[in-house]
Amino acid sequence: MSTTKTWIQIKLVLPIVLGTALYAFGLLYFIIPNQLMEGGLTGVTVLINYAFGISPSLTTLILNVPLFLIGLKILGGRQMIYTGIGIGALTVFLWLFEKLIHLGWIEPLHTENDLLLAALYAGVTLGAGLGIVFRWGGTTGGSDIIARILNRKYGWSMGRVLLGIDFVIIGLSLIYIPKEKILYTLVAVFIASKVIDFIQEGAYSARAFMIISDHAPEIADQITRDMDRGVTLIPAIGAYSKQAKHMAYCVISRQEFRRLQTIVRSIDPRAFVIISDVHDVHGEGFKES
């Protein structure tokens, strides 16, 4: 393998490793010390830890290995390679942080008086870890493998399978955890989902304008002159009128939103305008790849 290819592989794997490290830290620093819960197969390892005191790193490995082998057979090696890296990294970092906590080098956050703070920090930490892992094409195994297998075999929605698994696991945790802490867990899960979306979609967001107007060329010229933004003119035909016209397409930052609206209204108050959110914009005037 050439040096360039090796470096590309490292750039793909390193974020997954770092993401699993952050996720493992959040689990052992915020979730378990405060008897909160987590969804997926990780939630099973947390529940086993509460019930029997077994190490999460050990149960993570034991539960994931057979699932990984089944997934490898059904889904193939290409789809499972980054999942295998995620499982291995998560197991190692869980074991490492367990040792550091046992040696007293890390003191977990344990609070009974401010569980909301623990839930918020847990959500941010777990969400950031998983968001990094997902953004670079990895997973931490577990219920994700189950969902992908059921999707391949039976066409079941991965989202619904994952939601069903989370619902069952968090429901079972009521046996060992007070319902108040389950409610705090839901706060952590909600925050984590938002952080995951934020990281996957990109920290920078913009607005896309699609402007259908008889005066689209004039609008495009004005945007180019006043805002120094590129505009694409797309030929269009009205389905009802059968008249040919143009659609102007432009991506701008959120701060320029009102300015562009003013330009459009000043030239054609009757213009049909579609505005949508755009995430992770690359190119001239935005982020450069």
Side-chain angles (χ1 to χ4, degrees), residues 56-103:
S57 61
L58 180 61
T59 50
T60 295
L61 183 63
I62 291 172
L63 294 174
N64 270 299
V65 166
L67 282 176
F68 177 78
L69 294 175
I70 294 170
L72 196 63
K73 183 176 181 180
I74 296 175
L75 301 172
R78 177 172 290 184
Q79 285 199 39
M80 294 299 293
I81 183 169
Y82 292 117
T83 297
I85 292 169
I87 293 170
L90 179 61
T91 302
V92 168
F93 281 114
L94 284 172
W95 173 83
L96 177 62
F97 288 130
E98 285 168 0
K99 292 298 181 185
L100 294 176
I101 290 170
H102 179 72
L103 293 171

Side-chain angles (χ1 to χ4, degrees), residues 86-163:
I87 293 170
L90 179 61
T91 302
V92 168
F93 281 114
L94 284 172
W95 173 83
L96 177 62
F97 288 130
E98 285 168 0
K99 292 298 181 185
L100 294 176
I101 290 170
H102 179 72
L103 293 171
W105 292 6
I106 296 177
E107 185 67 33
L109 178 68
H110 184 276
T111 175
E112 287 293 337
N113 300 321
D114 200 351
L115 280 172
L116 180 59
L117 186 65
L120 291 174
Y121 277 108
V124 171
T125 309
L126 297 179
L130 287 178
I132 294 169
V133 171
F134 294 160
R135 186 180 175 99
W136 269 267
T139 76
T140 55
S143 54
D144 178 77
I145 300 175
I146 297 171
R148 281 203 265 174
I149 290 173
L150 293 176
N151 176 261
R152 171 71 68 85
K153 297 283 285 184
Y154 305 107
W156 293 4
S157 162
M158 286 186 64
R160 290 181 181 179
V161 172
L162 291 170
L163 183 63

Side-chain angles (χ1 to χ4, degrees), residues 1 13 37 100 102 104 110 131 151 161 198 201 203 216 227 229 285:
M1 185 180 291
V13 170
M37 268 298 294
L100 294 176
H102 179 72
H110 184 276
N151 176 261
V161 172
F198 178 79
E201 293 173 353
M227 300 180 63
R229 288 293 185 191

Side-chain angles (χ1 to χ4, degrees), residues 212 236-245:
I212 301 172
I237 298 175
Y240 178 76
S241 66
K242 301 299 188 291
Q243 292 182 353
K245 57 181 68 180

